[in-house]
C-alpha cells in the first residue's frame, strides 16, 4: 500500500467519522447511547446481519475508492 493510498483511506475514514458524528449529535438520546455502547462492545462476528451489512457498505465504498485511485496511477508509477 502506498502513502497516497493510506492518505486516501484516511480521508475516507475521516469523512465517515464526521458523517457519523453529525448524525449522532442529531440523535443523542439515552436509548441511542445505550444501543451504541452495546454495539461498540460487540465483536463484528456477533453483530446482527443488518449491522454487518452497514459495515460492509462502508468497506465497499473504501474498496471502490482505492480501486479508482489505483486505476488512475500509470503502471510505471506502480512499479517504483
Amino acid at each position: 500500500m502506498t502513502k497516497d493510498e493510506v492518505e486516501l483511506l484516511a480521508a475516507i475514514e475521516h469523512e465517515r467519522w464526521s458523517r457519523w458524528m453529525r448524525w449522532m449529535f442529531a440523535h443523542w438520546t439515552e436509548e441511542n447511547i445505550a444501543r451504541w455502547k452495546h454495539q461498540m462492545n460487540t465483536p463484528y462476528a456477533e453483530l446482527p446481519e443488518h449491522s454487518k451489512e452497514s459495515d460492509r457498505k462502508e468497506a465497499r465504498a473504501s474498496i471502490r475508492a482505492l480501486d479508482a485511485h489505483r486505476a488512475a496511477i500509470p503502471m510505471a508509477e506502480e512499479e517504483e
Side-chain angles (χ1 to χ4, degrees):
M1 183 165 289
T2 68
K3 182 179 176 184
D4 285 347
E5 290 171 341
V6 171
E7 288 300 308
L8 172 64
L9 293 176
I12 290 168
E13 186 56 35
H14 178 72
E15 178 55 35
R16 182 178 298 135
W17 174 82
S18 297
R19 190 171 57 244
W20 168 245
M21 293 304 292
R22 284 189 293 275
W23 187 92
M24 193 172 82
F25 285 133
H27 296 86
W28 196 269
T29 66
E30 291 300 318
E31 180 182 333
N32 282 340
I33 291 168
R35 183 171 51 88
W36 297 331
K37 284 181 179 180
H38 175 73
Q39 280 183 310
M40 75 181 192
N41 291 315
T42 302
Y44 174 80
E46 296 175 20
L47 289 172
E49 191 59 30
H50 71 274
S51 293
K52 287 181 179 181
E53 189 53 39
S54 177
D55 290 342
R56 290 179 194 124
K57 178 183 172 188
E58 295 298 333
R60 287 183 199 105
S62 294
I63 292 166
R64 280 191 303 274
L66 190 55
D67 286 347
H69 172 77
R70 287 178 175 164
I73 298 172
M75 290 297 288
E77 284 186 36
E78 289 181 355
E79 295 172 0
E80 291 179 5

